Amino acid sequence: MRPPETDASKAPEAASEAGERLAGALRVRRFTPAERWVHRVTALLMGVCVLTAGCLYLPQLAELVGRRELVVRLHEWSGLLLPVPVLAGLVSRAFRADLRLLNRFGPHDKVWLRSALRRDARPESRPAGKFNAGQKTYAAWIAGAVLVMVGTGLLMWFTHLAPLVWRTSATFVHDWLALAIGIVLAGHIGMALALPESRRGLRTGSVSREWAEREHPLWRP
């Protein structure tokens, strides 16, 4: 015969439930699975583009890797597919909402940028909503750069689309913009390595409430 449950037997279960509720209260949702997958696939395609570009332009890497024809095809297709994750992500309401936030600059963003230029790292001097002005600037710049890279890449890939002078100009823009993208991406990765909670938000979808209130005080999750 099963003995009746006592308050003592229920204590561990109650403590576990209380702990789960406390943990949930201490974290807030930042990104949905769809948003995280858009970022991951885009990062993967961008990584392939950068690595294959390095193999095509640096003789040391070209000799190490070999198979230039395969590298060229990987570079072309990964570049052509770069906009696809973002376009696919438009089916997500949360992703569309975040795009609207990234596309809007307010007075607090000007304050954030001025503080960044002065190297004032105090949280109170850098007001931000869900995304700060640095993230908005990076998103706008990289989106424009990708479109230019795709356009110039198509002119270089399909040589019959334009006269020689256009293709020559496209090659010049493509090469130098690729260098700029590499430098900006290195800075982006460096910032990500210095911000573990931001990385955790992209990996798990949630961040600590304390971090959100400190780094994004204008965000109301």
Side-chain angles (χ1 to χ4, degrees), residues 56-132:
L56 292 173
Y57 285 95
L58 299 177
Q60 297 85 349
L61 288 177
E63 293 176 3
L64 181 65
V65 175
R67 304 194 65 178
R68 181 179 177 84
E69 185 65 26
L70 175 61
V71 173
V72 169
R73 291 293 170 259
L74 285 173
H75 184 76
E76 291 172 341
W77 281 105
S78 60
L80 189 63
L81 292 173
L82 257 178
V84 173
V86 174
L87 295 176
L90 292 176
V91 302
S92 166
R93 181 180 301 177
F95 184 71
R96 295 197 304 271
D98 276 356
L99 286 183
R100 287 192 292 269
L101 292 176
L102 284 168
N103 198 39
R104 292 175 181 170
F105 278 77
H108 61 279
D109 292 313
K110 297 178 182 178
V111 176
W112 194 99
L113 288 172
R114 284 196 296 267
S115 298
L117 291 174
R118 293 196 304 266
R119 297 182 180 276
D120 185 353
R122 295 174 301 162
E124 62 270 18
S125 68
R126 296 191 179 189
K130 185 173 184 179
F131 303 103
N132 62 44

Side-chain angles (χ1 to χ4, degrees), residues 8 13 23 71 75 152 204:
E13 182 179 349
V71 173
H75 184 76
T152 53
T204 68

Side-chain angles (χ1 to χ4, degrees), residues 184-197:
V184 171
L185 281 178
H188 179 67
I189 294 171
M191 290 292 293
L193 292 175
L195 299 170
E197 193 63 24

Side-chain angles (χ1 to χ4, degrees), residues 5-93:
E5 292 187 358
T6 64
D7 292 341
S9 65
K10 295 180 180 179
E13 182 179 349
S16 176
E17 292 177 356
E20 291 177 359
R21 287 196 298 270
L22 178 61
L26 294 177
R27 299 193 68 78
V28 294
R29 185 180 184 183
R30 185 161 174 83
F31 298 113
T32 64
E35 293 174 292
R36 303 202 302 275
W37 275 108
V38 168
H39 185 270
R40 290 167 184 170
V41 177
T42 301
L44 175 63
L45 291 172
M46 182 66 77
V48 174
C49 278
V50 172
L51 290 175
T52 51
C55 293
L56 292 173
Y57 285 95
L58 299 177
Q60 297 85 349
L61 288 177
E63 293 176 3
L64 181 65
V65 175
R67 304 194 65 178
R68 181 179 177 84
E69 185 65 26
L70 175 61
V71 173
V72 169
R73 291 293 170 259
L74 285 173
H75 184 76
E76 291 172 341
W77 281 105
S78 60
L80 189 63
L81 292 173
L82 257 178
V84 173
V86 174
L87 295 176
L90 292 176
V91 302
S92 166
R93 181 180 301 177

